[in-house]
Every structure is written in structure tokens, then in C-alpha cells.
Amino acid sequence: MLSGKHVLLIISGGIAAFKSLDLIRRLRDEGVSVTPVLTHAAEEFVTPLSVSALAARKVYRDIFDLTDEAEMGHIELSRAADLVVVAPATADLMAKMATGLANDLASTLLLATDKRVLIAPAMNVRMWQHPATQRNIATLAGDGVLFVGPDEGEMACGEFGPGRMAETPQIIAAIDAALSAGPLAGRHVLVTSGPTHEPIDPVRYIANRSSGAQGAAIARAAAALGADVTFVTGPATVPPPAGVRVVQVETATQMMTAVEDALPADVMIAAAAVADWRVDNAAGSKIKKTKGAALPKLSFVENPDILAKVSQMGKGRPELVIGFAAETDDLVAHATDKRQRKGCDWILANDVSPETGIMGGTENAVVLITDAGAETWPMMEKSKVADRLARKIADRLG
Ligand code: C5P
């Protein structure tokens, strides 16, 4: 429900700035009040007069405008809105956000705000794909910044690829989602995800094939229902979703510590494929391949069982602890047994036999095991499994 909401809209300097005029108009049609902020570069693309006329409000442009400070200081301006939206968000402004620069009004507001920030990036495809921008995207996602777009397509510069600003309806839908309180609002949901890497020496490690897709989808789905999500992830191939607090780890031991640090939580979902063992005699320097020498022998030690530990922690235990059981045979029997052994409340069991294509694939077929028994879900996209699970969690917490 958008009506009555207040958005602080920061327009930075890119060709897509013209689309922001339409965004202002459509937001106002929805009953949203829009306070516009223009960077100096944005004024090369849209005029302050047209922005202010469409918003029917003063447009803010300069941090040193003392009249503005008298009316409303920049701190207050950054917090008076329900949501801060940056559209378009240029590579330059994203870099400032990622490093915490505050050298103009827009970047200062973004550093000072205590509200959620949604950005609609727009830039040339090469700029989007540049490692520096990709690093900034990961940093911003880790900070909980929400993203909408960019879209793929032909760009004003004549090149083709990702970088076009999302269209107005898409941005409005993202604003709506960011503003809706959701049934998990005020709840802290902790998700573990991805594989772990267990070192053999500083350059070699033991890993598994988990992509982190299901865990990332669950974190996204919980955040979409308004949860405050901590996403503890091993080195996954699927990137973390926007709008969650990301904690990157490598080993099972680090994941255990990160989970302990993230508690208390209302819900924990252990979607990570944690290595059962780590190399006990991992070398501090690279093991050399010496001709004629004996082959290295690895010895193993058991890793902490994060799910079991949290399930059995007594005081401070999350209200709901959910684990996964990846099995290749006797799915329900093994998973039911695992639920008992670990002490978790729910288990999502899935058949990971190679012929199912689930491991590393986009779909999943799960059986939800609770104290009420087994509930079989049909094969569906991992994102749908995540949405259904998030709704079930919301129902359970009430
Ligand atoms: O025992 P198994 O590895 O089959 O259990 C799978 C479930 O336990 C998953 O939810 C997984 O995230 C969790 N787990 C864990 N720590 C481990 C091993 C598994 O949290 N060391």
C-alpha cells in the first residue's frame, strides 16, 4: 500500500534521469509524496524546475544551501522519508555509497539516513561489469541496500547488455515491496547458505557442489516478508540477495562463529552444505610436490554441527530452527530421524540423487517434516520453495 508514504528520491546524473520524471508522476498518482534531490550532474539531464513542478515540492540540490538547513537540515531530510530511492544510480554515486563518501548533498543524505535505501542502477554495460562496480554492488548488498534492475537491452550509448535503468512500473513495485511491513517485520531470521571450503594448505581446499541458490532464495523471501535477515554464506556461486546483512565465511568453523555472533534470532534456517570434516593437519605453507617423497596424508577431524548446536542450545535458542536433509534414498525415514537427532523443529528434505538435477539446478522437490508428519511439496522453482517456506514461517510465528 503506497498511498500516504513519503519517498526521498535522489536523481543522479545519467541519461536515464529523464525516466525519473515519469517515476515522480506515477508515484504521485499512487498517493506517494516525493521529495526530490538532484546531484549537480543530474541537472545536466533534467531541470530542477521540471522535477520540482512534477513533485510539487522544493527540489534539494546543495548541502551548503543555508536556507535549506534553516528549513530542514540534511540529517532530518535523510530521515523524514519512509524510504530513500536512488534512480538513476550512477556508477559514481554507487562508488561513493560503497566507500562512505559524503562530499555532496546526495552522498551525505545516503550516509546519514536511517531508512532503507533502494537503488535503480543505470550505466554503460562495461561500467556495470567492471570489477570495481561489481565490488561496490557486493558491498552495497552486504550493507542491506536494495536493488531494482538494471535491465538488459540496447543502451543510449548504442551498446547492448545489462545497464539500462529498470522501467517505472518495476521501480514502483520494488518501492511497494520495500515499504510493505510484511508478516515477518520485526523478526530476525538467520540463514546459513552455500558450501564451506576446508583448507588443505594455503592454496588447496576441500569443497562441495552447493551453489547456495536455495539459501539465497530463502534469505530473499524472508526479507521480502519484512524480516531482518542475516545471511551467513560460504563461498557460493549464486550471489547473495539484496536487502540482507551478508556475512561471508569460508570454513565450517568460521560459519559456526558467525552464527553465534549473529544470535539471538527468532528463526534459523540452516541451508548451508557444511563440510562434515576438516583437515586436521592442514599445512601452514604450500605442500611441495617433491620427486620421490611420500604422498601427503590427510587426516580429518569432525566439524561442529551448527544446526544441532543451535537446536540444542537451550536458553537463547531461536523459536524456530529449520534444517535441510539432502538424501539419496529413504528420504522421509532418514529426514525424520535427522530431525530427532539434531533437535530442530522442521526439516526440509530433498532427494539429491544425480538424476533429479536438484543439486546445482534451479528447481527443488522437498518434503517438509514437522512434528505433525511429512508434507510433500511438488517440484517447483527454488524461489517458489523459498516463498512457500517464508510464508509458513510467518504463519507459525503468528
Ligand atoms: O547431517 P547433515 O549434514 O545431513 O545435516 C544437514 C543439515 O545440517 C543442513 O541443514 C545443514 O545446514 C546442517 N549442518 C550444519 N552443520 C554441519 C553439518 C550440517 O549446520 N556441520
Side-chain angles (χ1 to χ4, degrees), residues 192-194 252 255-256 268-277 302-309 322-327 338 341-342 344 347-348:
T192 69
S193 182
M255 189 173 276
M256 181 78 246
M268 152 136 145
I269 303 149
V274 185
D276 291 312
W277 315 282
E302 211 168 297
N303 269 328
D305 189 321
I306 303 165
L307 175 63
K309 223 163 168 167
I322 305 169
F324 274 77
E327 308 287 347
K338 191 165 289 179
R341 237 179 327 112
K342 302 225 184 200
C344 57
I347 282 259
L348 277 172

Side-chain angles (χ1 to χ4, degrees), residues 70-393:
E71 285 171 12
M72 184 189 273
H74 61 272
I75 303 290
E76 196 187 335
L77 183 60
S78 75
R79 298 181 187 173
D82 299 300
L83 181 72
V84 180
V85 177
V86 188
T90 58
D92 177 66
L93 186 53
M94 285 169 60
K96 283 184 186 170
M97 289 171 74
T99 45
L101 272 181
N103 57 0
D104 61 7
L105 180 60
S107 53
T108 303
L109 294 172
L110 286 160
L111 197 61
T113 189
D114 60 354
K115 296 300 183 310
R116 295 181 96 185
V117 176
L118 170 73
I119 71 173
M123 67 197 70
N124 168 272
V125 57
R126 295 268 169 173
M127 293 171 77
W128 174 255
Q129 288 168 341
H130 195 285
T133 304
Q134 291 298 313
R135 272 197 304 278
N136 292 335
I137 293 164
T139 302
L140 293 173
D143 292 346
V145 170
L146 305 172
F147 284 71
V148 52
D151 286 348
E152 203 160 298
E154 187 154 359
M155 314 191 64
C157 53
E159 289 184 41
F160 188 92
R164 280 168 59 104
M165 185 164 92
E167 296 301 329
T168 302
Q170 228 182 313
I171 299 177
I172 292 193
I175 291 173
D176 199 2
L179 284 172
S180 53
L184 287 177
R187 300 290 191 169
H188 181 205
V189 174
L190 172 58
V191 181
T192 69
S193 182
T196 63
H197 284 181
E198 307 297 334
I200 295 171
D201 67 18
V203 296
R204 305 181 178 95
Y205 57 83
I206 294 173
N208 62 62
R209 294 186 196 279
S210 166
S211 64
Q214 188 63 81
I218 290 169
R220 180 207 43 79
L225 294 190
D228 170 26
V229 178
T230 303
F231 184 65
V232 179
T233 177
T237 48
V238 170
V244 305
R245 193 178 307 103
V246 181
V247 185
Q248 308 259 11
V249 298
E250 194 183 332
T251 66
T253 316
Q254 290 167 356
M255 189 173 276
M256 181 78 246
T257 307
V259 163
E260 281 166 348
D261 289 348
L263 290 171
D266 297 288
V267 184
M268 152 136 145
I269 303 149
V274 185
D276 291 312
W277 315 282
R278 66 177 176 275
V279 179
D280 192 22
N281 57 341
S285 51
K286 188 182 170 194
I287 302 172
K288 293 274 180 295
K289 189 174 64 175
T290 318
K291 220 175 164 135
L295 292 176
K297 290 220 172 351
L298 300 181
S299 73
F300 291 91
V301 63
E302 211 168 297
N303 269 328
D305 189 321
I306 303 165
L307 175 63
K309 223 163 168 167
V310 173
S311 296
Q312 295 164 26
M313 67 187 279
K315 192 167 173 282
R317 180 193 191 274
E319 191 177 332
L320 187 59
V321 181
I322 305 169
F324 274 77
E327 308 287 347
T328 51
D329 54 290
D330 283 341
L331 187 67
V332 173
H334 279 135
T336 305
D337 178 54
K338 191 165 289 179
R339 177 176 166 271
Q340 293 285 344
R341 237 179 327 112
K342 302 225 184 200
C344 57
D345 303 295
W346 297 354
I347 282 259
L348 277 172
N350 52 1
D351 184 346
V352 289
S353 312
E355 61 273 17
T356 64
I358 286 172
M359 198 92 174
T362 56
E363 293 197 319
N364 205 350
V366 303
V367 181
L368 175 68
I369 298 181
T370 68
D371 54 1
E375 181 184 302
T376 303
W377 295 4
M379 178 76 109
M380 57 179 106
E381 292 279 317
K382 287 181 176 172
S383 62
K384 293 273 178 335
V385 170
D387 288 335
R388 188 161 168 173
L389 179 67
R391 275 197 305 275
K392 263 207 134 47
I393 292 170

